[in-house]
Amino acid sequence: MIGFIGGGNMAEAIIKGVKSQESGVRRDILVSEPREDRRKYLQQTYGIKTTESNKEVASSCNIIILAVKPQNMAAVLDEIADLITEEKTVVSIAAGITLSYLQSKLKTKKLIRVMPNTPAIMQEGMSVMSLCECFSDRDIAIVRDIFMSVGKVLTLPEKYMDAVTAVSGSGPAFVALFTEAVIAAGEKMGLSRDNASELAIQTLIGTARLLDTGMPPEKLREMVTSPGGTTAAGLGVFEEKGFKDIVYDALYAAKKRAEELAKV
């Protein structure tokens, strides 16, 4: 049985992905969630079991996914620590919560840190796993399958996790901000809100699909850019304003904040 402590948006995305699978990872799910209305929604929508008790999840499930906010993690771990035996696998999807911190709180060594992202809601997520070497291939495969049900999965050493948090964890918000800006610019140039939105969003989707074929971003940029043309004029402004430096500074700020959360 897979257990979730916390029934928020990311937990729901993973539950949806797991329940959509026809074989393999599909199994019973138990979710602990303090809000009664949220428990009823998850139960009715996905046909899963819910409870208000974190301890019930910890005692009943072999794989426990900690889907709580970083600031609530200490209290949750203290509550369930006595129930986490050595054979249980615990997965944290909270930003800034390190494997060493989890090890200091729990008896099991079977600990995995995962950074998923919001597109998991559409089963187009990017999840990065960090874990110790104590796992069997079977145990790793089960957890990987859970997150593959909502998109792609990459395994990296934990030292990269703060950068991952900035690039793919916070990335959807940065892409959305750019899209907001494009829509707003279209409106300023006379387009209706609906038309500007459709143009910007479909362009984003189509560009992402081209890049997903393996085409390098610089190649796609060169394909669209004619010397002295409209695209070149716009790219010139980005270059003049230091666009790449702005992007780096934003991602670096997100990375530093992830480091701070780990210290806290």
Side-chain angles (χ1 to χ4, degrees), residues 38-51:
R38 185 67 177 169
R39 292 198 303 272
K40 287 182 178 179
Y41 164 79
L42 292 171
Q43 191 168 345
Q44 294 169 359
T45 304
Y46 300 104
I48 61 174
K49 300 175 183 177
T50 63
T51 177

Side-chain angles (χ1 to χ4, degrees), residues 132-236:
C132 72
E133 297 179 356
C134 61
F135 281 89
S136 68
D137 290 342
R138 179 181 176 276
D139 287 337
I140 295 172
I142 292 172
V143 176
R144 183 181 289 113
D145 285 349
I146 290 172
F147 288 92
M148 284 184 67
S149 74
V150 293
K152 295 182 178 181
V153 176
L154 188 64
T155 301
L156 289 175
E158 189 179 22
K159 65 180 181 180
Y160 297 113
M161 196 58 84
D162 292 330
V164 166
T165 300
V167 174
S168 61
S170 299
F174 303 150
V175 173
L177 176 62
F178 180 81
T179 307
E180 281 183 66
V182 172
I183 292 169
E187 287 187 277
K188 283 185 179 180
M189 291 185 288
L191 293 169
S192 70
R193 175 76 178 181
D194 288 346
N195 287 341
S197 295
E198 185 172 1
L199 289 167
I201 293 168
Q202 183 56 38
T203 299
L204 178 67
I205 292 170
T207 302
R209 287 180 176 166
L210 278 171
L211 294 173
D212 196 42
T213 66
M215 180 184 292
E218 58 271 22
K219 177 65 175 178
L220 178 54
R221 175 173 51 77
E222 290 168 1
M223 284 176 58
V224 181
T225 307
S226 301
T230 58
T231 306
L235 289 173

Side-chain angles (χ1 to χ4, degrees), residues 93-147:
I93 63 171
I97 301 299
T98 64
L99 291 174
S100 61
Y101 179 76
L102 295 172
Q103 288 168 354
S104 72
K105 293 285 189 176
L106 301 174
K107 297 173 185 176
T108 182
K109 294 181 179 179
K110 296 168 69 174
L111 301 167
I112 301 179
R113 180 180 176 185
V114 181
M115 174 50 62
N117 66 2
T118 306
I121 294 169
M122 300 302 295
Q123 296 178 277
E124 290 289 351
M126 182 72 247
S127 299
V128 179
M129 298 171 48
S130 294
L131 61 159
C132 72
E133 297 179 356
C134 61
F135 281 89
S136 68
D137 290 342
R138 179 181 176 276
D139 287 337
I140 295 172
I142 292 172
V143 176
R144 183 181 289 113
D145 285 349
I146 290 172
F147 288 92

